[in-house]
Amino acid sequence: MFHHSSKLQYEVRCDKPNPLFAKMLQQAIGGVEGEIRVAMQYFFQAMGARGDDKYRDLLMMTATEELSHIEFLGHAVALNLENAPVSMQEEAAKDPIVNAILGGMNPRHILSSGLSAMPVNANGVPFDMSHIYATGNLAADMMANAMAEGSGRVLASRLYTMTDDAGMRDMLSFLIARDTMHQQQWLAVIEELGGLTASLPIPNSTPESHEALEHSYYFLNTSLDKPAPQGRWSSGPSLDGRAEFSVRDKPEPLGQVPSLGKARPDSAAQKEQM
């Protein structure tokens, strides 16, 4: 069961409406880096969480907070669309707001939503839930969540530089701060699970007998004219402590030529294929 307060999680004010910035804010709602994505990702992870219930609670509470972010970002979009005209007379194009419409505002903010937010990205493409990662593996999900919060914080940081509106910057500074916390909490779960060494490889429950370990820790240099890049991944102990990293230059293929042979007589292929 969910409960809702009539007040927003954080104050949203817009000193100077900007329909073009409203379009940009849509990315933070319905983009792959946006709040719909993380809210649904944490929600489905929580519903599938097994083990200590505290991790389910952590996920569900954060999912609910992300719904709050959708709400105040939606309000921010609507405020930026205030006073935007619902017609585009040629003579009105001298008006800066109309010019913003003609120069890049999403016309669906007029045609489809009546000057309010939609579950779409900055290009007007609906969020289709294809970027929801909920594997049932706690460590894998925490890695995905840290990445999601990282990309969200990159987006909020870019949006901050795209506006000089004090109200919008204040709201975005709050989002940047919450993205910081969420990055930290997901990585803290990894640490609580024993850190990377204990968590890797994911899943750490896969028996070694199921893995061709001789292929697990070498970097393949597939370039014909450049040496392998040298780094933490090319030498020294693996991050899970099971082996040493190495490099294989100009590796020979281990498989066969993938020839399928003749087509079946009943496959509707050409006679020459059979």
Side-chain angles (χ1 to χ4, degrees):
M1 183 172 64
F2 296 91
H3 296 274
H4 179 260
S5 169
S6 62
K7 294 184 178 180
L8 298 174
Q9 182 187 6
Y10 191 77
E11 180 186 19
V12 178
R13 70 179 196 275
C14 179
D15 300 330
K16 184 179 179 182
N18 183 340
L20 183 56
F21 192 62
K23 179 180 179 180
M24 300 299 104
L25 281 175
Q26 282 288 164
Q27 192 68 18
I29 295 175
V32 294
E33 314 92 335
E35 303 295 341
I36 295 177
R37 182 266 179 95
V38 288
M40 291 298 99
Q41 181 158 307
Y42 305 157
F43 185 51
F44 278 88
Q45 287 178 5
M47 288 193 295
R50 289 179 171 83
D52 194 321
D53 282 346
K54 68 179 181 179
Y55 298 121
R56 181 186 187 280
D57 294 341
L58 174 65
L59 286 160
M60 190 61 76
M61 291 175 186
T62 309
T64 308
E65 180 185 353
E66 303 295 8
L67 292 175
S68 302
H69 295 177
I70 297 170
E71 184 180 23
F72 72 65
L73 279 166
H75 189 58
V77 168
L79 291 181
N80 273 282
L81 293 169
E82 281 290 315
N83 302 320
V86 292
S87 60
M88 293 186 179
Q89 293 93 339
E90 185 176 341
E91 62 196 32
K94 299 175 184 178
D95 184 294
I97 295 181
V98 180
N99 188 59
I101 294 174
L102 299 177
M105 175 183 170
N106 185 350
R108 289 195 62 208
H109 277 150
I110 295 175
L111 301 174
S112 301
S113 70
L115 303 178
S116 58
M118 297 179 293
V120 302
N121 67 13
N123 290 325
V125 178
F127 185 73
D128 66 0
M129 308 292 273
S130 62
H131 286 275
I132 303 303
Y133 305 114
T135 67
N137 179 290
L138 187 59
D141 286 349
M142 292 304 107
M143 294 283 196
N145 293 352
M147 186 284 295
E149 293 292 342
S151 62
R153 194 171 189 272
V154 168
L155 174 62
S157 297
R158 288 172 175 164
L159 286 168
Y160 188 98
T161 65
M162 293 178 68
T163 181
D164 59 2
D165 186 280
M168 289 295 97
R169 283 193 161 188
D170 182 57
M171 178 195 72
L172 289 164
S173 71
F174 177 79
L175 278 177
I176 291 169
R178 296 310 297 158
D179 286 342
T180 296
M181 174 57 194
H182 294 160
Q183 285 183 47
Q184 295 288 309
Q185 72 183 45
W186 304 136
L187 292 173
V189 173
I190 293 289
E191 183 174 292
E192 190 169 277
L193 295 174
L196 280 177
T197 299
S199 299
L200 295 175
I202 297 171
N204 59 9
S205 58
T206 299
E208 288 192 355
S209 61
H210 293 188
E211 181 176 355
L213 286 167
E214 66 271 24
H215 301 294
S216 296
Y217 297 98
Y218 57 76
F219 173 80
L220 280 182
N221 176 12
T222 56
S223 173
L224 293 176
D225 57 2
K226 293 185 71 175
Q230 297 299 307
R232 177 65 182 83
W233 58 87
S234 59
S235 63
S238 61
L239 295 176
D240 56 20
R242 297 198 305 174
E244 294 283 319
F245 287 128
S246 63
V247 174
R248 290 193 181 182
D249 290 303
K250 297 181 174 59
E252 292 293 328
L254 302 177
Q256 73 273 31
V257 175
S259 174
L260 296 178
K262 300 293 186 179
R264 287 169 41 174
D266 59 352
S267 64
Q270 292 298 97
K271 291 184 294 183
E272 291 79 8
Q273 295 176 259
M274 299 175 185

